[in-house]
């Protein structure tokens, strides 16, 4: 029996849908299945004919960077009726399709679930009507479905994030950054409305990432009936303390505690009346759905697409329809209908004003972010409590600059000040500590830092030695420092570890020591992700997208070298995000045999019409087979078939404004640092401290966790400056599978297929 899989996108489009389609199609072809694209969503299924047609490896080439969906999407009223679904079943069976990957929102996934439930009875009706051969009905007696959530709103239960939400957040943050600068120039107030009927994710995270002054989300309307007064008083106080811009970010589904809708026009009217200011409204609208998908969305959609094809091809008749999502950084399969029903329950909670329950459904990360936002957007901090000890916390950045360092400092400073503590900014990391370059920071001294790249405090790779340790200890004593927060990369971690090791000689180091991971390389212990890596990945991806366009015109192969030192995270992830056919990692090594194999594949590809070659090489992949060496070798071997160019991306990877993902990560880690410092200080007061008051914080399985500092040497390959365990290494098979058709593909194409992928 032929195994045929159909794939469709439905409902509102979302960036990243194409990456999911590409990956599901290629994964299915790789397993030897035949794949049909169902164009225009469920409407295409109902109409059939040329709207259901075969896809091959190259039909989904070159689509990774495209927004929207190459399959088209539609809202189909006809599919809501049984007659419409009956026509759909007939058209699917005409092509012998009984396995579906459906990419859409909760409506589309509900439709898919209903289709599966009715499959047998609709087939019986078709047989009775004489429109279906009984033998076909017997052979294809079940429908297997895997659903992926493509929706910018991030409003679906069963997955921590939906395909498209991160890209929409990129659009929102870019817009908010731009509006902030014009608002500040004119001292204007802006009301910015973002998408989200029942879900405040985009408004909340957009406000957190951009440093807005007030936010309105459906899940948690302002407490008071007189919220208008409260909003105006926050904005007025903000002006009084020197804020030049006033930005209110609101979800389109914002409402008050009684369920009455709050419109952006109403917020404008209130602000104009009470603030007596020039107030402008910007409704971001469909801009949020548009544009090229972010790196995160491309990688997420790629992994989910491959998992969906796998699930649907291995499904048995009795298996339920599944939703494939991501939870705690792991791909998960869940009963589709349960996720849909839970999503509807949240929407009901919001409609019925049960906000506590709605927030509970949204999960811990959402609730934590909301709590953090409520502090960060205050015009003024809470005054210190007289009975509470005010801790003096030194904050510094160390190692190479990583985008998001400033956002972390800003969040840490504000959260400390709001809790009554005194943040001390140390200039240029350990160098500033040794030179006594330390200054008190306050609420407003970090105003506007969230969107900026680099490090305002300045950074260094200083590793304290000999008498410098004594000097550093004296400076800490002089400033009566109670705790140190190091926001940095490996050099910063090493410096703090050195202080930790010297605790027995210098009591001044015997204070809480916290490291927050900030490095584009993502090579730090105790964290799956470090601040700055997402920004660097997006910077690489944007450049490579342009390089790919230029390469096509000349039949070129590009060797692109990316940073990471001995850690291949940026290389592998950028290869997945850009569709590179080969990635060279230090972790895997590079041999002459590999290079010969790659030359062979390139030659075959270009002979068969390929126009572009893309290889990504980690900067330290191999000290002999350097980027210039590989480029020269390939160029020589390519002869007249193709040209080779190298591109060493360099420091552009360390620069740029942080992405929303990095800014949000910065806020979450800073919040946990402040919480822990308070906890450690209390424990010290009770004289029950232990070595756990020296820790590195990080994201592990979706949550913020702490790893004792003494474990660093055990967790790290110190010589190669990377952790022994790197979770992302598991993603290599997907990257490899998507780059080139495997034996499964050749088996199912009679002639052996095109032989080599012609497009990325
Ligand atoms: P978005 O989140 O962008 O709104 P969505 O998938 O929820 O995406 P909908 O318009 O709700 O978008 O649904 C898309 C299509 O799915 C509908 O036009 C319809 O064809 C089908 N569909 C939705 N709900 C059902 C249902 N209850 N029964 C059958 N089909 C449905």
């Amino acid at each position: 029996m032929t195994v045929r899989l159909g794939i469709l996108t439905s409902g509102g489009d979302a960036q990243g849908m194409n990456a999911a389609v590409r990956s599901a199609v290629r994964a299915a072809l790789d397993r030897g299945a035949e794949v049909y694209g169902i164009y225009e969503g469920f409407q295409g299924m109902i109409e059939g004919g040329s709207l259901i047609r075969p896809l091959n490896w190259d039909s989904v080439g070159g689509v990774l960077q495209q927004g929207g969906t190459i399959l088209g999407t539609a809202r189909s009223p006809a599919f809501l009726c049984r007659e419409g679904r009956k026509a759909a079943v007939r058209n699917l069976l005409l092509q012998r399709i009984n396995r579906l990957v459906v990419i859409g929102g909760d409506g589309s996934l509900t439709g898919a679930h209903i289709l599966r439930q009715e499959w047998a009875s609709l087939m019986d009706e078709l047989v009775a009507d004489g429109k279906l051969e009984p033998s076909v009905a017997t052979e294809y007696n079940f429908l297997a479905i895997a659903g992926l959530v493509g929706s910018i709103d991030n409003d679906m239960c069963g997955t921590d994030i939906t395909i498209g939400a991160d890209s929409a957040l990129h659009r929102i943050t870019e817009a908010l950054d731009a509006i902030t600068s014009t608002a500040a120039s004119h001292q204007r107030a802006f009301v910015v409305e973002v998408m989200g009927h029942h879900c405040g994710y985009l408004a909340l995270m957009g406000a957190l990432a951009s440093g807005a002054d007030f936010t309105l989300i459906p899940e948690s309307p302002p407490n008071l009936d007189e919220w208008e007064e409260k909003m105006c008083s926050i904005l007025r106080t903000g002006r009084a303390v020197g804020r030049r811009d006033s930005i209110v970010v609101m979800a389109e589904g914002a409402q008050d505690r009684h369920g009455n809708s709050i419109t952006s026009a109403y917020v404008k009217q209130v602000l104009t009346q009470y603030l007596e200011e020039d107030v402008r409204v910007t409704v971001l609208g469909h801009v949020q759905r548009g544009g090229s998908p972010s790196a995160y969305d491309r990688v997420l959609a790629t992994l989910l697409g491959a998992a969906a094809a796998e699930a649907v091809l291995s499904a048995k008749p009795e298996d339920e329809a599944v939703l494939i999502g991501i939870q705690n950084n792991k791909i998960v399969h869940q009963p589709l209908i349960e996720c849909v029903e839970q999503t509807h329950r949240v929407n009901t909670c919001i409609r019925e004003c049960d906000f506590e329950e709605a927030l509970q459904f949204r999960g811990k990360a959402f609730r934590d972010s909301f709590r953090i936002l409520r502090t960060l957007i205050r015009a003024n901090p809470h005054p210190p409590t007289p009975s509470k000890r005010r801790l003096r916390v030194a904050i510094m950045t160390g190692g190479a600059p990583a985008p998001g360092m400033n956002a972390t400092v800003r969040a840490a400073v504000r959260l400390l000040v709001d809790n009554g503590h005194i943040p001390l900014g140390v200039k240029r990391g350990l160098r500033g500590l040794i030179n006594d370059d330390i200054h008190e920071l306050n609420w407003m001294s970090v105003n506007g830092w969230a969107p900026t790249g680099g490090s305002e405090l300045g950074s260094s790779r200083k590793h304290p030695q000999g008498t410098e340790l004594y000097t550093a200890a004296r400076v800490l004593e002089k400033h009566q420092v109670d705790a140190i927060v190091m926001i940095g990369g490996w050099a910063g971690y090493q410096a703090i570890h050195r202080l930790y090791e010297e605790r027995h000689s210098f009591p001044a180091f015997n204070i809480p020591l916290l490291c927050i991971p900030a490095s584009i390389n993502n090579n730090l212990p105790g964290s799956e992700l470090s601040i700055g890596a997402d920004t660097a990945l997006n910077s690489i991806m944007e450049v490579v997208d342009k390089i790919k366009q230029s390469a096509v015109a000349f039949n070129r192969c590009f060797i692109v070298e990316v940073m990471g030192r001995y850690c291949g995270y940026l290389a592998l992830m950028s290869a997945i995000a850009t569709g590179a056919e080969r990635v060279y990692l230090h972790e895997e090594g590079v041999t002459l045999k590999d290079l010969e194999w790659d030359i062979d594949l390139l030659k075959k590809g270009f002979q068969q019409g390929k126009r572009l070659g893309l290889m990504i090489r980690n900067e330290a992949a191999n000290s002999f087979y350097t980027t210039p060496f590989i480029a020269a070798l390939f160029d020589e071997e390519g002869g007249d078939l193709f040209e080779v160019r190298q591109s060493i991306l360099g420091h552009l990877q360390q620069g740029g404004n942080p992405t929303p993902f990095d800014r949000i990560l910065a806020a979450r880690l800073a919040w946990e640092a402040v919480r822990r410092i308070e906890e450690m200080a209390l424990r010290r007061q009770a004289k029950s401290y232990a070595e756990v008051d020296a820790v590195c914080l990080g994201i592990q399985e979706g949550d913020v966790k702490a790893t004792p500092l003494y474990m660093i040497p055990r967790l790290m390959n110190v010589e190669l400056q990377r952790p022994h365990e790197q979770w992302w290494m598991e993603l290599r098979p997907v990257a490899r599978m998507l780059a080139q058709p495997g034996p499964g593909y050749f088996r199912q194409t009679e002639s052996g297929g095109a032989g080599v992928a012609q497009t990325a």
Side-chain angles (χ1 to χ4, degrees):
M1 167 178 148
T2 315
V3 177
R4 282 192 182 157
L5 178 152
I7 181 161
L8 70 148
T9 51
S10 167
D13 66 322
Q15 305 96 324
M17 279 181 161
N18 286 331
V21 170
R22 169 182 179 269
S23 145
V25 168
R26 290 191 173 177
L29 293 172
D30 191 64
R31 283 186 50 129
E34 292 178 17
V35 184
Y36 280 65
I38 300 166
Y39 290 76
E40 314 306 335
F42 289 121
Q43 195 54 35
M45 216 185 255
I46 293 172
E47 290 179 28
S50 65
L51 292 180
I52 304 181
R53 48 184 196 264
L55 295 171
N56 65 27
W57 194 272
D58 287 325
S59 337
V60 288
V63 304
L64 255 180
Q65 63 272 32
Q66 289 176 25
T69 156
I70 53 161
L71 295 180
T73 181
R75 303 200 195 259
S76 165
F79 197 77
L80 295 170
C81 312
R82 195 174 159 84
E83 273 313 297
R85 296 193 288 274
K86 191 162 144 186
V89 170
R90 180 161 186 267
N91 286 325
L92 289 178
L93 287 175
L94 278 177
Q95 303 294 353
R96 307 293 188 260
I97 297 168
N98 72 332
R99 294 168 197 269
L100 286 180
V101 172
V102 180
I103 307 168
D106 64 328
S108 307
L109 299 179
T110 307
H113 170 74
I114 291 172
L115 184 70
R116 182 184 173 280
Q117 278 186 319
E118 294 176 347
W119 182 258
S121 59
L122 288 172
M123 278 203 309
D124 289 347
E125 283 176 34
L126 287 167
V127 171
D129 296 347
K131 291 183 177 163
L132 185 70
E133 292 289 321
S135 60
V136 176
T138 312
E139 204 173 341
Y140 296 87
N141 61 354
F142 75 100
L143 175 67
I145 289 181
L148 297 182
V149 195
S151 163
I152 66 163
D153 296 348
N154 200 24
D155 57 353
M156 186 85 189
C157 296
T159 185
D160 289 345
I161 189 149
T162 56
I163 296 169
D166 185 64
S167 306
L169 211 46
H170 272 251
R171 300 295 102 78
I172 292 168
T173 311
E174 283 153 17
L176 284 171
D177 286 353
I179 286 172
T180 303
S181 59
T182 167
S185 307
H186 292 268
Q187 297 214 38
R188 269 189 186 133
F190 268 86
V191 183
V192 182
E193 183 186 303
V194 304
M195 284 186 168
H197 276 300
H198 299 289
C199 184
Y201 178 85
L202 292 177
L204 167 61
M205 296 304 177
L208 189 59
S210 64
D213 303 83
F214 199 79
T215 187
L216 291 160
I217 60 171
E219 294 88 344
S220 186
N223 276 329
L224 305 165
D225 277 345
E226 308 81 40
W227 63 270
E228 293 94 333
E229 239 168 66
K230 187 179 172 201
M231 174 179 71
C232 293
S233 124
I234 288 177
L235 299 191
R236 212 178 289 118
T237 318
R239 278 273 189 271
V241 297
R243 283 195 188 182
R244 290 185 57 86
D245 54 276
S246 304
I247 313 273
V248 176
V249 179
M250 58 180 292
E252 60 185 343
Q255 55 180 351
D256 66 16
R257 291 250 140 210
H258 309 292
N260 304 311
S261 147
I262 301 176
T263 65
S264 47
Y266 178 66
V267 178
K268 175 184 172 169
Q269 185 193 322
V270 170
L271 293 180
T272 314
Q273 190 177 339
Y274 293 103
L275 292 185
E276 294 178 3
E277 267 191 26
D278 189 12
V279 183
R280 302 292 164 99
V281 174
T282 303
V283 180
L284 291 186
H286 284 78
V287 164
Q288 297 161 84
R289 281 192 195 282
S292 188
S294 66
Y296 184 89
D297 269 332
R298 294 188 197 184
V299 174
L300 174 72
T302 298
L303 300 179
L304 295 180
E310 180 71 37
V312 98
L313 292 176
S314 53
K316 298 187 189 62
E318 63 278 12
D319 288 348
E320 282 188 72
V322 287
L323 181 135
I324 317 263
I326 186 157
Q327 284 182 357
N328 305 330
N329 205 23
K330 297 249 175 330
I331 306 285
V332 288
H333 297 51
Q334 290 176 86
L336 186 141
I337 193 58
E338 280 178 23
C339 301
V340 169
E341 282 170 1
Q342 205 176 34
T343 304
H344 292 165
R345 272 204 294 281
V346 188
N347 297 348
T348 309
C349 284
I350 292 171
R351 256 197 318 275
E352 293 175 354
C353 301
D354 185 354
F355 302 116
E356 214 163 290
E357 187 72 5
L359 270 179
Q360 216 48 43
F361 273 121
R362 288 283 180 245
K364 185 170 178 299
F366 189 100
R367 291 194 300 277
D368 284 352
S369 302
F370 191 51
R371 214 171 329 157
I372 299 166
L373 178 74
R374 281 166 58 171
T375 301
L376 295 184
I377 63 174
R378 292 180 64 82
N380 269 326
H382 287 102
T385 317
S387 56
K388 189 171 160 186
R389 179 151 172 257
R390 300 188 74 188
L391 301 170
R392 295 172 64 80
V393 181
I395 303 175
M396 62 183 94
T397 57
M405 279 181 162
N406 290 331
T408 322
V409 176
R410 169 185 176 267
V413 167
R414 291 209 161 166
L415 294 165
L416 282 167
V417 173
D418 194 56
N419 281 306
H421 306 304
I422 303 163
L424 305 167
V426 184
K427 295 275 179 170
R428 299 184 63 210
L430 257 288
R431 198 174 289 283
L433 184 62
I434 294 161
N435 295 338
D436 193 5
D437 198 356
I438 299 183
H439 310 273
E440 243 182 64
L441 296 169
N442 61 38
W443 192 260
M444 284 307 285
S445 56
V446 290
N447 197 36
W449 281 27
T452 56
S455 167
E456 292 286 333
L457 285 179
S459 187
S460 72
R461 291 207 167 88
K462 182 74 195 157
H463 192 71
Q465 317 265 14
T467 56
E468 290 170 342
L469 287 163
Y470 171 78
T471 316
R474 290 298 305 271
V475 173
L476 289 174
E477 280 161 2
K478 178 184 154 196
H479 291 277
Q480 298 173 337
V481 172
D482 294 301
I484 296 179
V485 177
M486 161 61 81
I487 301 154
W490 179 235
Y493 273 51
Q494 275 185 311
I496 295 298
H497 190 255
R498 182 91 179 102
L499 303 190
Y500 171 73
E501 281 180 325
E502 294 294 334
R503 275 181 163 182
H504 60 278
S505 311
F506 302 100
F509 300 152
N510 203 355
I511 54 176
L513 303 171
L514 289 94
C515 294
I516 294 182
S519 162
I520 66 162
N521 297 342
N522 198 28
N523 62 339
L524 294 166
S527 192
E528 288 162 4
L529 291 166
S530 58
I531 297 162
D534 184 63
T535 309
L537 197 51
N538 277 281
S539 302
I540 296 169
M541 183 193 80
E542 281 164 24
V543 177
V544 174
D545 281 353
K546 289 180 186 146
I547 288 175
K548 277 167 71 177
Q549 280 173 351
S550 82
V552 167
F554 288 99
N555 279 11
R556 267 186 190 155
C557 170
F558 263 88
I559 319 289
V560 178
E561 179 182 305
V562 303
M563 283 183 167
R565 292 186 175 232
Y566 292 100
C567 170
Y569 176 83
L570 284 179
L572 181 70
M573 292 310 222
S574 59
I576 296 177
T578 58
E581 59 215 88
R582 183 72 160 93
V583 56
Y584 300 111
L585 306 176
H586 184 269
E587 285 87 346
E588 290 182 328
V590 187
T591 65
L592 193 54
K593 225 181 183 139
D594 293 334
L595 298 176
E596 278 171 357
W597 173 266
D598 294 338
I599 291 168
D600 259 8
L601 271 180
L602 280 171
K603 277 187 179 168
K604 277 191 204 138
F606 279 102
Q607 271 159 3
Q608 290 168 11
K610 183 182 175 77
R611 295 165 65 199
L612 149 77
L614 176 63
M615 327 300 242
I616 294 196
R617 180 184 174 277
N618 157 260
E619 61 183 351
N622 184 295
S623 55
F624 295 103
Y625 304 134
T626 60
T627 302
F629 174 87
I630 296 177
L633 179 72
F634 285 13
D635 201 30
E636 176 62 18
E637 295 295 318
D640 293 336
L641 264 178
F642 59 94
E643 296 179 356
V644 180
R645 294 285 184 275
Q646 65 176 40
S647 183
I648 298 173
L649 298 188
H651 283 82
L652 73 86
Q653 297 162 84
Q654 284 181 0
N657 291 348
T659 56
F661 187 100
D662 276 333
R663 300 186 203 182
I664 293 162
L665 183 59
R668 282 184 74 194
L669 290 171
W671 186 69
E672 184 63 13
V674 173
R675 195 188 71 72
R676 279 183 183 265
I677 286 171
E678 292 208 307
E679 197 182 274
M680 290 169 180
L682 279 179
R683 242 188 284 142
R684 280 178 168 259
Q685 260 175 347
K687 302 223 179 305
S688 69
Y689 58 87
E691 69 265 334
V692 284
D693 64 2
V695 294
C696 20
L697 297 180
I699 294 288
Q700 291 173 28
E701 297 184 345
D703 207 357
V704 184
K705 303 251 169 68
T707 306
L709 209 59
Y710 69 80
M711 287 187 59
I712 284 190
R714 268 184 256 165
L715 295 172
M716 287 289 280
N717 180 332
V718 175
E719 197 191 329
L720 298 177
Q721 301 185 9
R722 69 179 183 228
H724 294 298
E725 304 275 325
Q726 301 189 102
W727 63 272
W728 50 266
M729 291 281 280
E730 285 172 18
L731 310 183
R732 285 173 303 158
V734 177
R736 231 175 274 137
M737 180 273 291
L738 289 171
Q740 294 293 340
Y745 182 56
F746 295 133
R747 267 198 304 278
Q748 60 103 352
T749 49
E750 277 169 16
S751 62
V756 209
Q758 294 181 5
T759 47

